[in-house]
Amino acid sequence: MASYRLIRSAAVWVWLAAHSLPAAATGGPEARGLADSALAPRSVELVASGNVLLARKLWGEAIDRFESALAVDPRNIGAYIGLARAAEAQGLPGKAARFYREALEIDPSHREALAGQGIAFLKRGARARAEANLERLKALCAGPCPEAQVLATALAAPAPPALAAAPEAAPAKP
């Protein structure tokens, strides 16, 4: 019985690899972020559930939902953003920046991910990288946009004392 489950599990992973990875690897339109209607419905439901859990400050359960959403549909940007928010809530800005980067790999012009990543950079003391994200946001927005305003406000605030004395890292690719 166990061998049947192992074979069935392997078959599922092979199918997932065959149907989801090539599109992302080719960089075609399927690799970009999709509207919720183009994502797997179960993945969208899991992200919604994760957001409710985040609002209730149940970080671990929310992370489980977001990770499950990505297992169902790895193109779900909302799941990456949810993971980033959970990491921020736990005081892990480096991990949050990584999740925002993964969202940006799917859709490089996702404004919420750019702003969130910029704020995570600020919390880590990488002011130049945060400013680069603000410039990208300004280029994306035809007029005023709330994401750029949030990041600009965060940049205008004084740095926390621990970060004010820390040397800034060289800007890297966001």
Side-chain angles (χ1 to χ4, degrees):
M1 186 71 159
S3 63
Y4 170 73
R5 286 187 187 144
L6 180 62
I7 292 170
R8 188 178 72 188
S9 176
V12 167
W13 283 109
V14 168
W15 184 88
L16 283 172
H19 289 87
S20 63
L21 292 179
T26 62
E30 298 85 10
R32 291 252 157 158
L34 301 174
D36 284 351
S37 61
L39 295 170
R42 181 68 181 141
S43 180
V44 175
E45 292 169 9
L46 287 165
V47 168
S49 173
N51 285 330
V52 169
L53 292 167
L54 268 183
R56 294 174 55 198
K57 299 182 181 179
L58 299 171
W59 318 130
E61 292 176 41
I63 289 169
D64 290 343
R65 297 286 164 71
F66 294 130
E67 288 175 344
S68 296
L70 289 172
V72 172
D73 194 338
R75 303 167 299 166
N76 194 332
I77 292 175
Y80 286 113
I81 289 178
L83 286 168
R85 288 181 182 157
E88 287 172 337
Q90 293 175 320
L92 303 169
K95 196 171 193 178
R98 180 175 59 96
F99 286 125
Y100 284 124
R101 184 189 73 232
E102 291 188 36
L104 290 167
E105 286 176 3
I106 297 170
D107 182 2
S109 61
H110 196 278
R111 296 186 323 204
E112 184 179 358
L114 281 167
Q117 186 186 48
I119 291 171
F121 285 157
L122 269 180
K123 289 179 181 176
R124 295 215 43 190
R127 185 172 189 80
R129 293 177 77 181
E131 289 171 349
N133 275 31
L134 179 59
E135 292 306 314
R136 285 178 62 192
L137 275 169
K138 287 179 179 178
L140 286 172
C141 300
C145 66
E147 296 87 0
Q149 184 59 41
V150 167
L151 184 52
T153 302
L155 280 163
L163 293 178
E168 187 171 319
K173 185 177 176 185

